[in-house]
Amino acid sequence: MDGAESRPEQVTLILEGERHTIAVPEGETILSAALGAGLYVESSCEVGDCGTCKLRRLSGAAEQDNDMGLTDEEVEAGYVLCCVGRPQGPGLVLSDER
């Protein structure tokens, strides 16, 4: 097994004006990693339907299993649902500022 395959991605979350960098292991959601790091990200359904955990993407890329909780405008603006979102490569920065 190649060690690089299991290396977690570093994700920066800007929550209430404070920057936090967390490690998100492959296959884990951003919300799960944030909660595991002791950060509070508002959430509710945890399946991508409600939109409560959306954060605005400032840079980088993320994939989502489901984006039903986002409007078309939010998808176009780069919002990510943390409960079903996973980083796709380095440099993902998300913010709770609307």
Side-chain angles (χ1 to χ4, degrees):
M1 176 181 210
D2 182 359
E5 289 178 21
S6 62
R7 189 173 359 159
E9 291 293 345
Q10 299 297 308
V11 174
T12 299
L13 302 176
I14 302 171
L15 305 170
E16 297 183 357
E18 292 187 31
R19 294 178 75 89
H20 308 273
T21 300
I22 61 170
V24 181
E26 185 176 341
E28 190 170 334
T29 65
I30 297 162
L31 177 63
S32 176
L35 295 175
L39 299 175
Y40 175 75
V41 175
E42 189 174 359
S43 63
S44 183
C45 76
E46 297 189 20
V47 294
D49 288 342
C50 73
T52 303
C53 66
K54 69 183 171 197
L55 295 177
R56 187 168 49 98
R57 184 176 49 82
L58 302 180
S59 66
E63 72 171 359
Q64 304 176 91
D65 296 335
N66 173 12
D67 64 5
M68 295 291 293
L70 298 173
T71 65
D72 291 341
E73 293 79 17
E74 289 170 332
V75 171
E76 287 181 28
Y79 280 87
V80 173
L81 296 169
C82 292
C83 69
V84 293
R86 293 174 177 79
Q88 292 299 130
L92 182 60
V93 178
L94 301 172
S95 174
D96 63 359
E97 292 181 15
R98 308 276 190 239

